[in-house]
Amino acid sequence: MKNFTFRLTLVAIVLALALLFLWPTVNQWFVDKDKDHTAWPHKVINLGLDLQGGMHLVLEVQTQEAVVSTMDRYSDDLKEGLRREHIRSKDQDLINGDTLTVTIIGSEALDKFKKWAGEEMSELVPDYDPQGENTVCTFTLPESDQKAIMDSSRDQALETIRNRIDKLGVAEPDIRKQGEKRILVQLPGVTDTQRAKDILVSTAQLQFRLLDDRQDQVRDYINRRPPPGTEILYSKHVDAQGRVSSRPYLVKKKVLLTGEYLEKAYANMQGQFSEPVVSIEFNKKGGFKFARITGENVGKPLAIVLDGRVFSAPVIQEKISGGQAVITGIGNMQEASDLAIILQAGALPVSLKILEERTVGASLGKDSIKTSTNAMLIGFVLVVVFMAVYYMGAGLIANIALILNVVLILASLALLDATLTLPGIAGIILTIGMAVDANVLIFERIREEIRTGKAPAFAVDSGFSKATITILDANVTTFVAAFVLLQFGTGPVKGFAVTLCFGIAASMFTAIVVSRLIFDYFLYYRNVRKLSI
Amino acid sequence: MEWIKPGINIDIIGKRFIAYVFSAILIAVSLVSLVMHGGPKMGVDFAGGAEMIFKFETLPTAQEVRSALATIGLEKATVQETHVEGQTEFLIRTDVADGKGSDIAEQIEAVLEQTLGTGVELGKVDMVGPQVGKDLKEQALMAMFYALLFITVYISGRFELKWIPPLVMALAIIGVAYFMDKFDLGIPAQIAVALVIAVAGFWVLKLQYAMGAIVALIHDVIITVGVFSLVGKEFNLPIIAALLTIVGYSLNDTIIVFDRIRENKTRHTRRALDFIINRSINETFSRTLLTSLTTLVVVVCLYLFGGSIIADFAFALLIGVLIGTYSSIFVASPILLAWQKASGEAA
């Protein structure tokens, strides 16, 4: 009977807060689905991807590629340096993408080479292995530099993905690092999965490269090695009937200009057949470069290559100043706008690999909500009826506690910005079953005490105090299991663990505090002489 | 209403050997089934692969779906019809999970639409690469492992006021697990070794409550996994969540009996332990039955009405609640007696 007013106030405050935090959710789910709740509090219970439909991707950033391309640049520098300094050498090679080797011929050349390498390739760790007249020189990148390069490529990739998703216009995406080189992307509501994947995973490396003069012989080179310094790339064209055609191009390997100088990219229609195109604008520096390149190569075809696919190869009519270009050869407007998105968002420094994909269609998500809420309601009603029949008056008290329990779980989900998933609903359902446990423990104790002949007030008092310790012990262990799940689990499993944790906390509160309060009310204010239990 | 009459006195301790035989048979059947099936059947989450659910406007037969898949070289895909609320869907599973096959779901959707000439809706895709699958499996097993360790430390502390020995032991076991990591035994073997060490440690340190609890938990997990193996169901992430919940639930049950034993020990100081245990089990029998019943009711509802995606999860809970209730009465508490004969002292 102690502190009755204090406990009543506590319960009233908790209940009021719970309802307050639930209000935005109730408002959005049942009253007005589209209207955003503007008044405080704003937080609506998040529905997991498995309930609202959407896409979950785990991408692996191929960070090793960044190291390879760094070493590739050193390899070019080395070739250039050897030529300029007139150093006799042979067998220059890049092994495993991270070890550069070259054999220097003669000791005089070696001295000269060491001096050059000491200046120009000081970041690399050299190793000289004399073999008679010659010396095999090996260069590697220090571990720490490799890691720095890999980390920065991952961070860049993350940034690029963020930009692209921003432009895709997905509401409330979740993008985060996961471990050393994985990126987790959650896109609620996205159902055109192929398109989303294409936009995310294309590296979008835009290149301007000249076609080889022997373009008319390209078909001959398909079956044999193309001339040195060139490669065969294809265009891809999809017509209105969905037929795919492609055409080979003999393209020079040397890249004249890349997309890094790009400032703007937008899709529009152009030409007499209203062909979809992407117009691009270079920044100042890129504009100058583009003007120089086009000026030097008037009359030659310039291929626009994106991720190894040739879009078009128009012949340069005149020097193009002003820094604008147009990419044609695009299938449809959708593709053009996607292309503009990825170009504008920037190229990925390295490629990405999809490690994990989970997609739930919107309608399946709705079905899941429907079936699981049904299961919840049926289970709830059965338990409530059972408690009322088995414990009568006390059963009603347990039922009030049970209802409050569910309200508290949902309110804490909203308050703490947790996500409700399908297993999360299962967690609530399970909690309904287990929540009565605390009350059952208390009631059984009270019955025992009554059997020993105690008066109601004493029976209730000792029943509660004896059961409380048991309830604490029993729940702490369940809590440990739930907490471990929370630490190790991902996605839906985490959602389950969250509701389980809240459920345990809520059921302890409702059983120990709320039920007790109601008992005390009847015993002291209503002077109930005989317990209905 | 009162189902269990007060003063009920079933001689559970006296018949404990019958329960041991029953448990031993269940465990043996589980292990045999697991060995025969080459371990638990791993779903896409752990084995890697792609699992998809398709809905159709006009329903094809499984054979039609299979032959459509064969045209794009997916003869080996598993095709399964599932029924939910009057709707029929097809569940298709392949082991293509390489990054290159990341548009496998779209490929299948396209080929089904073309060859069957009907509207196809992609309900759900789960594509897990082999590396991620391996990581997820390790994480899941580690979760089980740590949960067991923490829980046993708590039990020893609360029921025997021994905090330091179990804590030291838990740290030692974690150390051993890390040490074994170097030998590349694989996580399951590592956990098995760690558990054997744990049980042996509890035995030597005479941590009887922790011992009773952990034996009951291992018992429950093995049997649930065994039943899954027997009926050919797969393990996925949610099932691990279910297993951990079972661990929590079963322990909850066990602790309530333990708690009563602790209480009765102070009340009947002159009585033998087997009397106290038997009495405690009987006194809490009514509560055990009621809680198990309400939990079972909701889990059954979840199983029957929760939809196909959650059905396996509910099934695991169903088995777990049944076996967890049984073990807290017939396995966990009787084990407290294990030291009695060996040491001749009433613990």
Side-chain angles (χ1 to χ4, degrees):
Chain A
M1 184 46 212
K2 285 178 296 184
N3 311 324
F4 184 83
T5 328
F6 170 73
R7 285 184 290 143
L8 183 66
T9 323
L10 177 73
V11 172
I13 290 175
V14 169
L15 184 62
L17 281 177
L19 292 176
L20 180 69
F21 286 118
L22 263 187
W23 168 241
T25 305
V26 173
N27 197 25
Q28 200 189 39
W29 287 2
F30 301 105
V31 183
D32 192 348
K33 283 196 168 62
D34 302 315
K35 212 181 100 193
D36 275 344
H37 193 81
T38 45
W40 187 90
H42 312 277
K43 286 175 185 166
V44 173
I45 295 176
N46 296 320
L47 290 184
L49 292 181
D50 53 349
L51 292 179
Q52 61 170 315
M55 198 172 184
H56 158 112
L57 287 174
V58 175
L59 305 167
E60 187 178 66
V61 187
Q62 308 295 300
T63 51
Q64 190 58 39
E65 284 177 12
V67 176
V68 176
S69 71
T70 307
M71 290 306 283
D72 242 354
R73 271 202 298 280
Y74 276 116
S75 181
D76 288 346
D77 289 354
L78 179 62
K79 197 180 288 172
E80 180 80 24
L82 292 173
R83 195 174 51 79
R84 211 170 2 154
E85 304 279 320
H86 305 292
I87 299 170
R88 285 186 62 205
S89 67
K90 61 173 184 181
D91 301 338
Q92 190 192 333
D93 204 2
L94 182 60
I95 301 160
N96 290 333
D98 62 1
T99 311
L100 196 54
T101 64
V102 65
T103 305
I104 303 294
I105 304 168
S107 58
E108 198 184 322
L110 184 65
D111 290 340
K112 218 163 153 191
F113 177 70
K114 278 185 175 171
K115 184 166 173 287
W116 177 85
E119 284 165 13
E120 302 289 323
M121 302 208 303
S122 56
E123 290 88 357
L124 301 184
V125 180
D127 179 56
Y128 299 103
D129 179 18
Q131 292 190 341
E133 281 285 280
N134 304 342
T135 307
V136 178
C137 310
T138 313
F139 294 91
T140 47
L141 204 57
E143 274 303 295
S144 59
D145 289 10
Q146 286 200 24
K147 187 166 184 317
I149 291 173
M150 283 158 74
D151 284 354
S152 94
S153 71
R154 181 210 47 211
D155 293 345
Q156 270 182 59
L158 190 72
E159 203 44 50
T160 309
I161 287 174
R162 250 193 209 122
N163 281 333
R164 289 183 187 176
I165 291 170
D166 266 358
K167 299 212 164 64
L168 252 178
V170 178
E172 297 182 47
D174 185 8
I175 306 148
R176 61 180 73 177
K177 270 191 268 193
Q178 201 181 54
E180 282 284 286
K181 43 187 189 170
R182 289 183 189 171
I183 297 176
L184 173 80
V185 178
Q186 299 208 309
L187 305 173
V190 167
T191 45
D192 190 348
T193 56
Q194 186 61 57
R195 182 181 167 221
K197 279 190 280 185
D198 283 348
I199 290 180
L200 287 185
V201 177
S202 3
T203 34
Q205 274 157 359
L206 180 68
Q207 299 171 332
F208 292 87
R209 290 153 69 169
L210 286 177
L211 284 195
D212 193 81
D213 300 334
R214 289 157 285 191
Q215 174 60 28
D216 50 339
Q217 298 166 37
V218 64
R219 305 239 164 236
D220 303 335
Y221 288 114
I222 291 177
N223 295 319
R224 59 193 177 101
R225 220 186 155 99
T230 68
E231 63 182 326
I232 293 178
L233 295 177
Y234 293 85
S235 68
K236 183 179 145 201
H237 195 81
V238 185
D239 68 12
Q241 277 74 47
R243 280 186 298 248
V244 181
S245 56
S246 74
R247 192 188 144 186
Y249 287 89
L250 194 60
V251 191
K252 289 196 174 167
K253 278 190 175 162
K254 188 172 165 59
V255 177
L256 299 178
L257 188 65
T258 65
E260 70 180 301
Y261 301 107
L262 199 121
E263 195 166 74
K264 262 192 209 165
Y266 47 92
N268 52 355
M269 296 285 195
Q270 204 182 62
Q272 60 185 125
F273 303 109
S274 300
E275 196 199 355
V277 299
V278 173
S279 304
I280 54 179
E281 278 176 29
F282 292 106
N283 59 19
K284 216 167 172 186
K285 199 173 166 195
F288 283 133
K289 278 197 160 202
F290 194 58
R292 188 171 52 78
I293 291 162
T294 48
E296 283 168 6
N297 296 294
V298 171
K300 291 181 189 166
L302 181 70
I304 302 173
V305 181
L306 186 76
D307 289 344
R309 170 184 163 194
V310 176
F311 274 79
S312 55
V315 174
I316 302 167
Q317 305 292 348
E318 56 185 350
K319 179 176 172 176
I320 305 171
S321 46
Q324 289 192 335
V326 169
I327 303 175
T328 58
I330 302 165
N332 54 41
M333 202 55 204
Q334 166 90 71
E335 201 187 330
S337 66
D338 290 352
L339 197 58
I341 287 175
I342 58 174
L343 284 176
Q344 177 89 51
L348 284 170
V350 292
S351 60
L352 296 175
K353 190 173 159 189
I354 298 177
L355 291 187
E356 185 184 341
E357 180 199 338
R358 293 174 195 273
T359 311
V360 176
S363 72
L364 190 73
K366 281 204 192 78
D367 289 353
S368 293
I369 294 182
K370 209 175 68 193
T371 50
S372 54
T373 1
N374 275 348
M376 181 148 80
L377 284 176
I378 297 169
F380 188 81
V381 168
L382 287 176
V383 171
V384 163
V385 168
F386 173 79
M387 288 300 281
V389 170
Y390 196 87
Y391 288 113
M392 296 174 292
L396 292 179
I397 296 178
N399 286 337
I400 293 172
L402 192 57
I403 293 166
L404 189 57
N405 206 334
V406 176
V407 170
L408 285 180
I409 294 175
L410 292 175
S412 26
L413 284 177
L415 174 66
L416 297 176
D417 233 357
T419 304
L420 186 64
T421 61
L422 182 56
I425 296 182
I428 297 179
I429 297 176
L430 187 67
T431 313
I432 292 173
M434 288 172 70
V436 293
D437 181 52
N439 276 305
V440 168
L441 275 167
I442 294 167
F443 296 169
E444 290 296 312
R445 276 289 187 173
I446 295 177
R447 280 182 172 184
E448 273 176 50
E449 300 294 328
I450 291 173
R451 262 180 240 126
T452 63
K454 281 190 183 144
F458 286 106
V460 167
D461 198 45
S462 69
F464 266 97
S465 63
K466 279 181 179 164
T468 303
I469 303 167
T470 313
I471 292 170
L472 281 175
D473 277 337
N475 280 316
V476 166
T477 51
T478 316
F479 200 78
V480 169
F483 191 73
V484 172
L485 266 183
L486 203 60
Q487 293 302 307
F488 284 87
T490 49
V493 173
K494 207 168 205 151
F496 172 74
V498 167
T499 53
L500 207 58
C501 283
F502 291 154
I504 294 164
S507 82
M508 293 207 308
F509 175 77
T510 53
I512 297 171
V513 180
V514 178
S515 301
R516 181 72 197 263
L517 192 71
I518 304 175
F519 267 108
D520 282 355
Y521 172 75
F522 281 107
L523 285 171
Y524 294 96
Y525 287 84
R526 290 296 171 108
N527 272 321
V528 171
R529 304 273 166 176
K530 193 172 177 309
L531 287 177
S532 163
I533 190 165
Chain B
M1 200 188 281
E2 212 160 39
W3 286 345
I4 306 293
K5 294 293 166 235
I8 177 179
N9 191 11
I10 308 166
D11 185 16
I12 286 162
I13 291 299
K15 297 191 180 70
R16 67 180 187 273
F17 294 105
I18 299 173
Y20 287 167
V21 171
F22 179 66
S23 289
I25 292 172
L26 285 183
I27 290 176
V29 169
S30 298
L31 292 179
V32 167
S33 167
L34 282 170
V35 169
M36 278 172 60
H37 290 99
K41 197 167 161 191
M42 295 296 173
V44 278
D45 285 348
F46 300 132
E51 190 175 275
M52 292 143 276
I53 292 179
F54 288 98
K55 292 179 173 184
F56 296 85
E57 270 168 28
T58 48
L59 200 66
T61 64
Q63 195 45 51
E64 283 171 331
V65 174
R66 272 192 202 99
S67 50
L69 290 177
T71 60
I72 50 168
L74 292 173
E75 299 84 358
K76 284 185 188 155
T78 325
V79 175
Q80 200 184 321
E81 245 181 282
T82 55
H83 301 270
V84 202
E85 302 218 323
Q87 263 184 325
T88 307
E89 301 160 346
F90 276 94
L91 190 129
I92 298 175
R93 220 186 115 177
T94 75
D95 45 14
V96 182
D98 185 73
K100 282 175 203 142
S102 70
D103 57 348
I104 185 87
E106 289 81 5
Q107 285 175 30
I108 292 178
E109 189 178 2
V111 79
L112 288 178
E113 245 169 19
Q114 276 168 26
T115 38
L116 303 174
T118 167
V120 178
E121 194 195 327
L122 187 54
K124 181 170 177 271
V125 184
D126 284 305
M127 194 284 290
V128 180
Q131 182 56 43
V132 174
K134 202 169 146 261
D135 291 357
L136 289 176
K137 189 160 71 189
E138 289 187 0
Q139 272 179 14
L141 284 167
M142 291 315 274
M144 302 280 295
F145 176 63
Y146 281 111
L148 283 179
L149 275 191
F150 291 150
I151 286 166
T152 46
V153 171
Y154 178 78
I155 291 178
S156 297
R158 282 291 292 144
F159 288 92
E160 301 180 82
L161 300 176
K162 290 176 187 165
W163 289 99
I164 306 298
L167 203 63
V168 170
M169 208 176 81
L171 289 176
I173 290 169
I174 292 173
V176 170
Y178 268 99
F179 179 69
M180 280 193 296
D181 224 13
K182 306 258 183 276
F183 293 101
D184 203 28
L185 286 173
I187 299 280
Q190 247 168 279
I191 287 178
V193 172
L195 285 179
V196 169
I197 295 174
V199 171
F202 291 143
W203 176 261
V204 172
L205 294 172
K206 293 187 181 169
L207 299 172
Q208 33 184 315
Y209 287 92
M211 175 96 165
I214 202 169
V215 169
L217 293 182
I218 296 170
H219 169 271
D220 297 348
V221 171
I222 290 178
I223 292 174
T224 311
V225 172
V227 172
F228 254 62
S229 163
L230 274 177
V231 296
K233 286 190 185 295
E234 287 172 352
F235 276 85
N236 275 319
L237 275 179
I239 305 302
I240 297 296
L243 282 179
L244 267 172
T245 315
I246 292 166
V247 165
Y249 177 83
S250 162
L251 211 63
N252 196 311
D253 248 14
T254 302
I255 282 183
I256 282 158
V257 182
F258 280 2
D259 212 70
R260 190 59 78 107
I261 293 172
R262 183 176 55 180
E263 188 186 320
N264 280 338
K265 260 163 75 177
T266 56
R267 199 186 295 165
H268 312 274
T269 41
R270 283 156 188 279
R271 292 297 199 130
L273 187 61
D274 48 3
F275 170 83
I276 291 174
I277 294 174
N278 208 46
R279 191 185 173 107
S280 305
I281 294 174
N282 276 293
E283 280 176 1
T284 50
F285 205 73
S286 177
R287 172 266 156 199
T288 306
L289 202 73
L290 286 180
T291 301
S292 299
L293 188 86
T294 53
T295 311
L296 265 184
V297 163
V298 286
V299 172
V300 167
C301 285
L302 191 62
Y303 180 67
L304 293 179
F305 310 112
S308 63
I309 297 171
I310 209 84
D312 282 358
F313 177 75
F315 181 75
L317 287 177
L318 199 64
I319 306 296
V321 170
L322 288 173
I323 207 76
T325 306
Y326 159 81
S327 77
S328 62
I329 297 173
F330 293 97
V331 180
S333 306
I335 282 184
L336 297 182
L337 290 170
W339 282 266
Q340 211 173 35
K341 273 189 192 140
S343 58
E345 63 183 288

